[in-house]
Structures are given as C-alpha cells and as structure tokens.
Amino acid sequence: MIDKIKKFWKLIKELNSTPRGKAVLFFGFYAIFFIVLFIIMAIGKSNNNYSLDDLYNTNKISFSSIDSNFEYSYKFYIDNNIYTYDGKKRNNEETFIFNNAGYYNKNGDFYQNDGGNYVEVDSPFIYREFTDTDVIKQLIDVSSFSSKTEYENGDMMYNYKITTSTIVKELDDIDTDIDDVPNEISIYVSKDGNIKNIKFNLNSYGLFKSISMNKFEIELSYFNYGEVDDFNILVD
C-alpha cells in the first residue's frame, strides 16, 4: 500500500514538472471535483424528493383505528359554550349521550331514547362533518404540515395549518378569497398507531361562518378500539 502511494506521488511530481502535465493535473482535479459533487447532489435528491406536506400527509397516518369500532368523546367549544357528545360507534351504528339524553344513530337516522322506546328525531349533532373520518382525511390532505412532536413514550403529535378559504372550498365547494389567520389541526397518535385525539382550532373559520365571535374549537378523543359490541336496539 505504501509503495502504491509513493508511486502515485512520484507520478504527480513528474506531471507537475511539465506544462502539459500541469494542465492534465488541473483538468483532472476539476473533473474529480465535479464528479464527486454530482454524486452528492444525486444522493441528496434521492433521499429528499418529497416535501414536508408529502411526508406527513394522510399516507403516513393510519385512520383505521377510527374507521368502524371505538368509543369517543367529542367536545365543541363555541365562545363560552361547550357541547359534549360521549358515545360508542360500531360500523354504521352508534349510541351517544348529549345533554343527558340518550340517542341511537343508524345509517344517519337518529332516535332518542324515551323510556326504552326510541323515537325518531332530527340529528342533535352540531357541525358533525368535523367528526367524519373521511372529511378529516380530506382536510388533512389539503392542509400544510407545520410541525411534529415525538414524545418519550413513542407517541407522536402532527400539526397542520389550513386556511378558511380551503375549508370552505372543501366543505361547501365555494371559492373565496379570505386574508385570515390559518386554522390549525393537531393529530395525536399513540406509539401503536392508534389515533387518540384530534384537535381543531377553527377560530378564523368560525368567525367567517358566523359560528362564533372569538372561539371555535373541536376536540375529538378516541379509546377502547375494537371493543364495542352489537347494540341490539330495535326501532320502528
């Protein structure tokens, strides 16, 4: 190995002793420099050919834990009022309590428990679209990723920003041009991949839609995944 290094340096000295040799060394050095630079850029591009939005979009977060079977607590904060829905969901059915009254929902038809009898009523849910898993995924898809927090226990928090114009376009299919403070969405994912909590800070959207004057926030909490049994509720 040492002999090869000595021969290499001897060749360098010989080339450097003549004008033509110096030219060969000059162009050879720059050729090697640009080849190395090109390789570094190629490797960097292959490892970073995505944006932050691509990295933390719905393809990186599994929503399967809140697709069909879970218990929940939904809270809507509208200015000084809080609306709470505590329930259980299994496929296309759910039972929940709102304002101390029990309700049953099957395929979008709502019934109120009246002494064991279920009477059909209008939906008591407000702004239910923000609890729909497909709508949540849709909004995340068009949001901009802002940050991620990794906790010591392995849980993750993904934070996004979304403009009011974007929400209105997605939910109402109306084009608007609003210069507002972006709304925020945060998704808390446990280390085993289950979504534990989703928070919406929709103050700007709430003001634009005349829902609230100062505060419009939604907190969706999920637990007991896959443990909800059949409801066995009969309705007329």
Side-chain angles (χ1 to χ4, degrees):
M1 183 67 180
I2 296 177
D3 291 340
K4 291 182 178 179
I5 294 175
K6 289 181 178 180
K7 290 180 179 179
F8 174 75
W9 281 112
K10 182 179 180 181
L11 176 61
I12 295 297
K13 290 180 180 180
E14 291 178 354
L15 290 172
N16 196 42
S17 64
T18 64
R20 184 174 182 180
K22 289 181 179 180
V24 171
L25 288 176
F26 177 82
F27 288 108
F29 170 78
Y30 276 98
I32 294 173
F33 171 78
F34 283 112
I35 290 173
V36 172
L37 182 62
F38 176 79
I39 292 173
I40 293 174
M41 292 176 62
I43 293 174
K45 184 177 180 180
S46 65
N47 289 333
N48 298 281
N49 58 351
Y50 45 75
S51 64
L52 287 176
D53 289 350
D54 293 331
L55 183 58
Y56 298 110
N57 64 11
T58 52
N59 294 326
K60 300 299 179 181
I61 298 177
S62 173
F63 285 80
S64 60
S65 60
I66 59 172
D67 271 342
S68 59
N69 189 306
F70 55 86
E71 295 185 38
Y72 63 80
S73 179
Y74 299 156
K75 296 182 183 297
F76 295 78
Y77 301 87
I78 302 178
D79 289 331
N80 296 321
N81 300 309
I82 303 176
Y83 304 87
T84 301
Y85 302 81
D86 295 314
K88 301 179 180 181
K89 178 176 174 59
R90 179 182 174 91
N91 299 324
N92 61 340
E93 297 178 84
E94 67 180 319
T95 60
F96 59 91
I97 296 175
F98 172 64
N99 279 347
N100 297 317
Y103 292 89
Y104 171 62
N105 169 30
K106 183 175 183 179
N107 294 323
D109 295 324
F110 289 84
Y111 304 85
Q112 184 173 349
N113 188 344
D114 183 13
N117 296 317
Y118 284 84
V119 181
E120 189 167 7
V121 295
D122 293 332
S123 171
F125 260 101
I126 59 173
Y127 311 111
R128 184 168 173 80
E129 61 270 25
F130 290 102
T131 70
D132 187 294
T133 303
D134 290 332
V135 172
I136 294 171
K137 289 191 287 187
Q138 178 183 348
L139 294 177
I140 293 298
D141 275 336
V142 296
S143 298
S144 297
F145 171 76
S146 59
S147 66
K148 178 183 73 170
T149 301
E150 184 172 358
Y151 299 94
E152 291 184 357
N153 63 356
D155 292 355
M156 308 285 285
M157 177 75 81
Y158 298 91
N159 301 302
Y160 304 84
K161 294 185 182 297
I162 183 170
T163 65
T164 295
S165 297
T166 302
I167 299 176
V168 172
K169 177 62 177 178
E170 293 299 316
L171 299 185
D172 303 327
D173 196 24
I174 298 175
D175 292 315
T176 58
D177 186 12
I178 308 167
D179 184 15
D180 64 338
V181 177
N183 304 275
E184 299 175 348
I185 306 174
S186 297
I187 302 180
Y188 190 101
V189 183
S190 66
K191 64 180 180 180
D192 53 5
N194 292 325
I195 293 179
K196 299 175 66 174
N197 183 277
I198 299 176
K199 292 183 178 180
F200 296 88
N201 181 332
L202 303 173
N203 294 340
S204 294
Y205 175 79
L207 182 61
F208 174 77
K209 296 286 287 186
S210 298
I211 296 171
S212 60
M213 291 297 297
N214 299 300
K215 182 178 182 179
F216 180 37
E217 298 178 0
I218 302 171
E219 183 174 2
L220 313 177
S221 299
Y222 309 91
F223 46 94
N224 293 338
Y225 314 95
E227 298 182 10
V228 179
D229 295 327
D230 289 332
F231 296 114
N232 295 319
I233 294 176
L234 298 178
V235 295
D236 295 333

